[in-house]
Structures are given as structure tokens and as C-alpha cells.
């Protein structure tokens, strides 16, 4: 049976970043690593990385924020430039923490945040690990069924536990049984926070300009981004197409690609032991 290190005790704080509150949990000593979570309903930093924090904290100072719009952070994301909004907030968080540079690890929405931050200010990023990041080739094909399920969560008849369970078990992971009911229960409770329902942080772009801006493969800076990057992509990802990994590897000068068999969109959760090993080694420059 696969086992996972239990979460260590974590120091929690609510920091002011440009007038907004960002919740942060951290633990461990060493080079700073920010873990940026995905954008699914009810997501938060610690819950998304529950199988990784303990292992990474053996070598790194692990900093786990709730992205704007999620968890205990201030709600609302700028729909005209959501990736830029997230990147600005995390850059401001680095400033508040007194960090000139840090490693960034980002899954899905958090991966898009990390990539945008690196494109805008590459001097603030040491190394990046991206897992099925958003914003890769999104203008080159129609949205996947998994992404449609995600984007439709708050529309129609509104959020429900059944809707969330279908998204997680059908589209988020390869093996539906890998996700405990408790994870879905907790995420559903967070997803129906009245502030979140009033301003969902992940929505369909409302303008062509926003659509174009949210596709990194349309950004000429991508081919000049020298930040060493490891892309991990589940071969069975039903939310963001695995072909996105090959797009990034083909454009970024220092990008390694690892496609993970029998794995969906949640690599760090579904294949935690593999992820923890690859991530720790890559950030340390051992691969």
C-alpha cells in the first residue's frame, strides 16, 4: 500500500499584499519553494499539496499560499487578465516575505500563475516545476470536456456536491478511487462560500483579448525564457491536453518534459512519491 508522510506542523499567517489578504502556511528550512495550487472548485494550497509538503520540507522552506479567490485569501480575480492578476499577487507575496527569488511549483491554474510570473519577472524565479499548467495552446483547440466541466461548475443550476464529485472522479484523476470522500466533502464546503459563489475565481474569458493573453504559446517571450523548468504532465489528463507539455518543451530553451503514465491532471496527488522525488531533485539541480 502506498503511504504518505503526514502533514508537519505549519506556521500560518494572513499577509497584506497590495491591500488584499493572502493566506500562507509554511514549514521546513532551506531554499524557498512556493507551491501554487490549481483552480478547481474549493481548491486551496495545503489541501492540494497534502501528499507533498512533508517530503519537500525535509530539504526546502515550503511556502503554501491560497491563491487570490481561494481558501482564506481575499476573493475575486481580474477576469480581464487572470494569470497576470495571480502573478502580481504572488510577486507581491514574495516581497512581503522578503524573498528576492524563489523556486515555483504550480499545478494547473497555479502553473499558469508561475509561468506568467516568470515571463514578467524572470529574475524572481530560480527554477520551476509545472504540472499540467493552464494557458498552453488554449486558442489552438476547443476546451476539453474536463475543462468545460470545471468552467460550468457555478453556471446552470449552480454548484452541488454531485457536480464536484463528477468533475473530480471523472476528469481530475485517472483512478477515481484514489480520492477519499473526505477530500470531496471539504472542497465542496469551500466551493459554496458565498463570496466565492458571488465571484468565482475561474471563469470563461469575456473578451478575445483575454483569450489571446491567456495562451502562453502566443507569447513571444516564451522562447526567450531561460528559467530551468520541469514540466510534469499526466498522459491521461482530461482537463489540459498532454500535448501542451510538448508545446512547452518545444518552445522553452531549458525545459525538461516528463509525461506520467496512468495519471490524470493531479500529478502531485496521484503519483506523489514520483512527484516528490523528481521535484526535490530538479529544484536542487540534481537533474
Amino acid at each position: 500500500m502506498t503511504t504518505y508522510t503526514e502533514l508537519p506542523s505549519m506556521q500560518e499567517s494572513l499577509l497584506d499584499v497590495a491591500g488584499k489578504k493572502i493566506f500562507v502556511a509554511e514549514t521546513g528550512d532551506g531554499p524557498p519553494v512556493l507551491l501554487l495550487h490549481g483552480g478547481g472548485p474549493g481548491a486551496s494550497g495545503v489541501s492540494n499539496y497534502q501528499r507533498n509538503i512533508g517530503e519537500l520540507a525535509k530539504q526546502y522552506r515550503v511556502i503554501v499560499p491560497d491563491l487570490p479567490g481561494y481558501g482564506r485569501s481575499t476573493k475575486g480575480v481580474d477576469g480581464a487578465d487572470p494569470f497576470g492578476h495571480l502573478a502580481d499577487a504572488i510577486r507581491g507575496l514574495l516581497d512581503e516575505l522578503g524573498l528576492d527569488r524563489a523556486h515555483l511549483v504550480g499545478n494547473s491554474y497555479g502553473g499558469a500563475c508561475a509561468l506568467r510570473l516568470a515571463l514578467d519577472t524572470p529574475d524572481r524565479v530560480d527554477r520551476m516545476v509545472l504540472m499540467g499548467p493552464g494557458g498552453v495552446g488554449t486558442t489552438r483547440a476547443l476546451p476539453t470536456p474536463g475543462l468545460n466541466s470545471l468552467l460550468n461548475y457555478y453556471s446552470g443550476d449552480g454548484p452541488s456536491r454531485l457536480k464536484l464529485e463528477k468533475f473530480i472522479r471523472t476528469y481530475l484523476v485517472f483512478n477515481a478511487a484514489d480520492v477519499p470522500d473526505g477530500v470531496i466533502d471539504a472542497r465542496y464546503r469551500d466551493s459554496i462560500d458565498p463570496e466565492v459563489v458571488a465571484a468565482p475565481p475561474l471563469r470563461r474569458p469575456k473578451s478575445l483579448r483575454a483569450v489571446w493573453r491567456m495562451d502562453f504559446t502566443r507569447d513571444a517571450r516564451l522562447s526567450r525564457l531561460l528559467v530551468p523548468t520541469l514540466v510534469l504532465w499526466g498522459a491521461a489528463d482530461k482537463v489540459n491536453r498532454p500535448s501542451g507539455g510538448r508545446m512547452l518543451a518545444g518552445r522553452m530553451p531549458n525545459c525538461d518534459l516528463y509525461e506520467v503514465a496512468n495519471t490524470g491532471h493531479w500529478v502531485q496527488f496521484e503519483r506523489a512519491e514520483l512527484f516528490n522525488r523528481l521535484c526535490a531533485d530538479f529544484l536542487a539541480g540534481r537533474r
Side-chain angles (χ1 to χ4, degrees), residues 219-253:
D219 192 328
R221 298 176 298 172
L222 193 64
S223 63
R224 303 191 298 269
L225 183 61
L226 299 179
V227 173
T229 301
L230 172 63
V231 173
L232 301 171
W233 215 302
D237 192 333
K238 296 178 183 177
V239 177
N240 292 333
R241 290 181 177 86
S243 58
R246 296 184 285 279
M247 289 182 186
L248 289 179
R251 286 168 172 77
M252 298 176 70

Side-chain angles (χ1 to χ4, degrees), residues 81-144:
D81 185 17
F83 298 161
H85 180 98
L86 298 178
D88 289 346
I90 297 304
R91 188 183 305 105
L93 177 61
L94 291 176
D95 293 339
E96 287 297 316
L97 293 170
L99 297 173
D100 292 329
R101 301 169 64 89
H103 299 306
L104 300 181
V105 176
N107 174 230
S108 195
Y109 210 32
C113 170
L115 193 48
R116 177 63 182 271
L117 195 158
L119 286 168
D120 289 347
T121 49
D123 58 303
R124 305 300 298 270
V125 184
D126 279 323
R127 286 177 167 243
M128 280 195 301
V129 178
L130 307 175
M131 301 87 76
V136 182
T138 48
T139 62
R140 303 176 189 275
L142 293 174
T144 63

Side-chain angles (χ1 to χ4, degrees), residues 36-271:
L36 306 175
H37 65 80
S44 65
V46 172
S47 68
N48 272 213
Y49 288 101
Q50 60 188 270
R51 294 180 171 180
N52 320 113
I53 292 168
E55 283 300 311
L56 293 177
K58 294 176 181 178
Q59 301 178 53
Y60 299 98
R61 176 187 174 187
V62 178
I63 301 165
V64 193
D66 288 344
L67 291 176
Y70 293 89
R72 285 182 262 182
S73 293
T74 296
K75 303 305 181 286
V77 173
D78 180 7
D81 185 17
F83 298 161
H85 180 98
L86 298 178
D88 289 346
I90 297 304
R91 188 183 305 105
L93 177 61
L94 291 176
D95 293 339
E96 287 297 316
L97 293 170
L99 297 173
D100 292 329
R101 301 169 64 89
H103 299 306
L104 300 181
V105 176
N107 174 230
S108 195
Y109 210 32
C113 170
L115 193 48
R116 177 63 182 271
L117 195 158
L119 286 168
D120 289 347
T121 49
D123 58 303
R124 305 300 298 270
V125 184
D126 279 323
R127 286 177 167 243
M128 280 195 301
V129 178
L130 307 175
M131 301 87 76
V136 182
T138 48
T139 62
R140 303 176 189 275
L142 293 174
T144 63
L147 185 56
N148 277 325
S149 175
L150 174 58
L151 293 172
N152 290 337
Y153 181 71
Y154 289 100
S155 62
D157 55 358
S160 69
R161 191 190 183 283
L162 183 63
K163 232 178 179 179
L164 183 59
E165 182 169 23
K166 180 179 180 181
F167 166 69
I168 290 175
R169 297 201 189 280
T170 303
Y171 298 113
L172 187 66
V173 297
F174 178 77
N175 179 10
D178 192 36
V179 183
D181 287 339
V183 170
I184 297 172
D185 292 337
R187 287 190 60 150
Y188 176 62
R189 286 194 299 270
D190 289 344
S191 79
I192 56 173
D193 180 314
E195 287 188 278
V196 176
V197 175
L202 183 58
R203 290 182 274 191
R204 296 182 189 278
K206 293 186 176 180
S207 71
L208 185 59
R209 184 181 181 190
V211 169
W212 206 260
R213 181 183 280 170
M214 291 173 69
D215 186 349
F216 294 114
T217 65
R218 304 288 184 182
D219 192 328
R221 298 176 298 172
L222 193 64
S223 63
R224 303 191 298 269
L225 183 61
L226 299 179
V227 173
T229 301
L230 172 63
V231 173
L232 301 171
W233 215 302
D237 192 333
K238 296 178 183 177
V239 177
N240 292 333
R241 290 181 177 86
S243 58
R246 296 184 285 279
M247 289 182 186
L248 289 179
R251 286 168 172 77
M252 298 176 70
N254 296 321
C255 179
D256 293 337
L257 172 63
Y258 194 114
E259 195 164 293
V260 188
N262 302 318
T263 304
H265 189 55
W266 227 9
V267 174
Q268 80 281 4
F269 187 92
E270 298 177 72
R271 299 292 297 278

